[in-house]
Amino acid sequence: MSTGSSVREGERWEPIRHLAPNWFAVVMGTGIVANAAGTLPLQFPGLRGAATGVWALAAVILVVLAGSWVLHWRRYPEEARGHGMHPVMMQFYGALPMALMTVGAGTLLLGKDVIGLTAAVAVDWVLWSAGTVLGLLTAASIPYRMITRHNFDADSAFGGWLMPVVPPMVSAALGALLVPYAPEGQLRLTLFVACLAMFGLSLIAAFATIILIWSRLLHHGLPPAGMVATVWLVLGPLGQGVTAAGALANVSDTVLQPGDASGFQLFSLLFGIPTWGFAMLWLALAIAVTYHARKSMPFNMTWWGFTFPLGCCVTGSTALYQHSGANVFAVIAVALYALLVAAWAVVAAKTVRGVLHGNLLRPAN
């Protein structure tokens, strides 16, 4: 009797045993579909309602994953610690803080229609604060661990190396939404300055990492078929950087003198448009290499890299349209959003199928 009970208990907990931090990319990819729709230049009947539903779905997934991850750490601490030691999987600890902040921003942008503005602001403060603290920890601790505990070959660089250093950029972009709700005076100014500092922190670290990834691709070719989708992750800091510059410019007049605020408006374009241009180049390369490798790419959780980074390009294009008035950015934002929704639908369907069949709940070999 005791043996049979043990087997049944093991079977019950087995799916949670292999729950890794990269699963929070599901929340990121789902949440960005909602958030990008909330500010899209083209609004049509039903879009906001649908976006609110997707935000709610992302919030539910976040709660389920967070609870499952806690159980995973309690039940299988060795496997959990192993993720933090693995040279590839540890990179995806950056997904958790970005998932928290993505749902928090969606609560403020869309969820306020459901729970009210006061509650939405409170939820966003909590999720943004938690995500920011965790994101700063990953931005410092994961590179430190890479430097002190691992030796990487020249062909080791891949898009996942960006995951630990991008969360502060997300903090900058989404923290700007909270600036108007911070108390006037030094507290509001401090939040603005903190967002700007995190913008620089992440931007410089991301550019240094992108150079390594570019060099790896040119000298060693594409990564293994199962990791080709990580090429898309470069779009994340690029698009989010443009988004952050525009978001900070939007609220600069609430903390700075008119002349200084005008400077931020100009910076959002002088920085944003060239960076957006490079993002479009990388998008073209990412599409081309994905098409090239399409027949050999097995579905795995890296496919969620098709969603959040692309969504960042949507929000970046929208920000440039808002600040420049150039219709080309509005057209491209809408086109990229259509591509985002298509990519999300495919990846989400494959994920559900993988969960139901159990393929995604087994350890990666």
Side-chain angles (χ1 to χ4, degrees), residues 146-147 149-153 156:
M146 293 171 68
I147 293 168
R149 300 194 180 185
H150 297 280
N151 292 315
F152 294 96
D153 296 328
S156 296

Side-chain angles (χ1 to χ4, degrees), residues 105-141:
T107 305
L108 184 56
L109 291 170
L110 302 163
K112 63 184 179 183
D113 297 343
V114 179
I115 64 176
L117 179 60
T118 300
V121 171
V123 170
D124 194 16
W125 271 118
V126 171
L127 294 181
W128 180 85
S129 299
T132 295
V133 171
L134 291 174
L136 291 172
L137 288 174
T138 66
S141 62

Side-chain angles (χ1 to χ4, degrees), residues 245-250 264-265 268-269 318-326:
L248 289 169
N250 288 340
F264 268 91
Q265 301 289 337
S268 70
L269 296 177
T318 298
L320 290 177
Y321 169 68
Q322 293 171 344
H323 287 277
S324 70

Side-chain angles (χ1 to χ4, degrees), residues 5-19 67-76 361:
S5 176
S6 176
V7 170
R8 287 194 296 271
E9 181 178 331
E11 291 175 350
R12 176 184 177 185
W13 285 96
E14 190 61 26
I16 299 178
R17 176 188 289 273
H18 308 297
L19 184 66
S68 299
W69 207 40
V70 170
L71 291 176
H72 168 72
W73 270 92
R74 290 175 60 87
R75 185 75 176 183
Y76 306 109
L361 301 176

Side-chain angles (χ1 to χ4, degrees), residues 1-359:
M1 292 295 292
S2 60
T3 303
S5 176
S6 176
V7 170
R8 287 194 296 271
E9 181 178 331
E11 291 175 350
R12 176 184 177 185
W13 285 96
E14 190 61 26
I16 299 178
R17 176 188 289 273
H18 308 297
L19 184 66
N22 60 344
W23 274 87
F24 287 97
V26 177
V27 181
M28 294 168 57
T30 303
I32 198 69
V33 171
N35 295 359
T39 57
L40 200 66
L42 175 63
Q43 295 287 319
F44 53 85
L47 177 62
R48 188 172 181 86
T52 303
V54 176
W55 158 77
L57 174 62
V60 170
I61 297 173
L62 175 61
V63 172
V64 171
L65 282 179
S68 299
W69 207 40
V70 170
L71 291 176
H72 168 72
W73 270 92
R74 290 175 60 87
R75 185 75 176 183
Y76 306 109
E78 292 298 324
E79 287 84 350
R81 284 192 292 269
H83 294 150
M85 299 298 295
H86 194 279
V88 173
M89 190 56 69
M90 69 179 182
Q91 310 295 335
F92 294 94
Y93 271 93
L96 172 56
M98 288 190 282
L100 292 172
M101 291 185 286
T102 300
V103 171
T107 305
L108 184 56
L109 291 170
L110 302 163
K112 63 184 179 183
D113 297 343
V114 179
I115 64 176
L117 179 60
T118 300
V121 171
V123 170
D124 194 16
W125 271 118
V126 171
L127 294 181
W128 180 85
S129 299
T132 295
V133 171
L134 291 174
L136 291 172
L137 288 174
T138 66
S141 62
I142 299 302
Y144 171 78
R145 180 161 290 188
M146 293 171 68
I147 293 168
T148 59
R149 300 194 180 185
H150 297 280
N151 292 315
F152 294 96
D153 296 328
D155 62 348
S156 296
F158 77 112
W161 281 13
L162 289 163
M163 291 293 290
V165 299
V166 172
M169 183 67 79
V170 178
S171 293
L174 303 185
L177 299 177
L178 288 168
V179 168
Y181 300 100
E184 293 185 13
Q186 283 297 316
L187 288 177
R188 182 178 294 183
L189 178 60
T190 299
L191 175 59
F192 181 85
V193 170
C195 289
L196 185 59
M198 289 187 288
F199 169 85
L201 180 163
S202 185
L203 178 70
I204 297 172
F207 276 164
T209 306
I210 290 170
I211 291 172
L212 296 175
I213 297 170
W214 181 280
S215 176
R216 184 256 186 269
L217 291 173
L218 291 181
H219 289 99
H220 303 282
L222 288 175
M227 298 178 68
V228 169
T230 63
V231 172
W232 287 69
L233 297 179
V234 173
L235 296 172
L238 298 175
Q240 196 68 258
V242 177
T243 304
L248 289 169
N250 288 340
V251 298
S252 60
D253 60 350
T254 67
V255 293
L256 301 175
Q257 297 297 322
D260 296 331
S262 298
F264 268 91
Q265 301 289 337
L266 181 61
F267 171 75
S268 70
L269 296 177
L270 292 180
F271 165 80
I273 294 177
T275 303
W276 180 89
F278 181 64
M280 293 302 101
L281 168 63
W282 196 278
L283 175 61
L285 289 172
I287 292 174
V289 300
T290 302
Y291 181 80
H292 174 78
R294 69 192 185 282
K295 293 183 180 179
S296 61
M297 291 175 58
F299 175 73
N300 55 40
M301 293 302 292
T302 66
W303 280 41
W304 281 97
F306 295 136
T307 57
F308 187 82
L310 185 59
C312 292
C313 291
V314 175
T315 58
S317 300
T318 298
L320 290 177
Y321 169 68
Q322 293 171 344
H323 287 277
S324 70
N327 289 335
V328 63
F329 293 120
V331 172
I332 293 176
V334 173
L336 291 179
Y337 186 74
L339 180 61
L340 169 63
V341 172
W344 176 81
V346 171
V347 177
K350 287 182 174 292
T351 301
V352 171
R353 187 179 303 117
V355 170
L356 293 178
H357 293 170
N359 299 336

